Amino acid sequence: MKADLLSMFPEELSELCIELGQPKYRGMQIFEGLYKGARDINDFTALPKAFRERLEENAFIPCARIKRKLVSAIDGTVKYLYELHDGETVESVFMRYHHGNTMCISTQVGCRMGCAFCASTKAGLVRSLYPSEMLLQILECERDLGERVSNIVLMGMGEPLDNYDNVMKFLRLVNHERGLNIGLRHISLSTCGLVDKIDKLADEGLPVTLSISLHAPNDEIRRQTMPIANKWSIEQLLGACRRYTDKTGRRISFEYALISGVNDSKEQAHELGRLLSGMLCHVNLIPVNPIKEKNFKRSEKNAIKVFTETVETYKINVTVRRRLGADINASCGQLRQADSEN
Ligand code: SAH
């Protein structure tokens, strides 16, 4: 199998160069060339031609071609549909916040977690992405817009912890000082709650922000919308969150999609408050975004207000997520493969 150059660290590239009879420093040359925009082995014009030919036989650079690009007329949010080397497609979203440009990237083509409210999982999992394919979502967007990305959220299609090794490598690559050099503290990893993997992540020594898609104040309601809740209870999930905080010192962010009549009553807000009270955490309320397969309804304005204020009485920090890119279906849970009609 050919080596995927963009998924490799400088040291790994050096090893490959040595194997192919070249000096070690060529590894860093290739690494830096990739982040400067090389997308074809012949773009490395500083490398001897004979070496490029040998490299061509042994390695390749994956691609993410912009197949469609939608720009929101409301807030300038940009949604990309990228086509990968095998014709599969993934979506990414570029958002401008006052704290910097944020890119929401996908980690898998499709998803096998099966959450009832989410569009990304409707056709199941097609395949996981390589580290390079996660990097390309950022690199191609930066090149297209001529702007830098400073924050990343792993909140696009896919379950990051279900593609564990590739996501870990991506995090280390994107943080590399000779590459994009994006701080790990500026990266959020969101999971529906794979408890064993959260524990593994806590031992990686990567200070990313952990976001938990909670979406319910108890197991019974959670099981109605999230199949993963049949595998692990909320108690087990919160246990892993506490261990994560103990080991990393980082506060947990809980995502809670408010669905009218399902999980948005005042009583349920109290239940959520009691559940999280005393934890080093932040609650992010997301009025659910409608998808065509399900008629989940967004909570009423007043219900959102009451819910927020009720949770706040437990001294928990709560924000209601702003909805960016509403006119281009760029919001949470609306990303899907190319066959959609948006
Ligand atoms: N698989 C990971 C990463 C996806 S992130 C996870 O589950 O966390 C996408 C976020 O949007 C998750 O919090 C997800 O639960 C949420 N989401 C999915 N569908 C949604 C919808 N229709 N409305 C609002 N949020 C949704």
Side-chain angles (χ1 to χ4, degrees), residues 111 113 115 117-119 154-156 158-160 190-192 211 213 215 255 257 286-291 332-334:
C111 183
M113 295 298 126
C115 299
F117 41 75
C118 180
L154 273 57
M155 297 191 181
E159 167 51 52
S190 182
T191 177
C192 65
S211 278
S213 297
H215 303 322
E255 311 291 303
I286 316 163
V288 78
N289 294 302
I291 62 168
C332 298
Q334 295 181 317

Side-chain angles (χ1 to χ4, degrees), residues 6 37-39 62-66 80 82 103 134-146:
L6 190 56
R39 291 293 172 270
C63 64
R65 194 178 61 80
I66 299 174
Y80 291 98
Y82 288 113
M103 188 99 199
M134 297 178 230
L135 283 167
L136 281 167
Q137 295 172 53
I138 300 164
L139 290 168
E140 299 301 12
C141 164
E142 285 191 341
R143 174 148 70 177
D144 179 55
L145 298 178

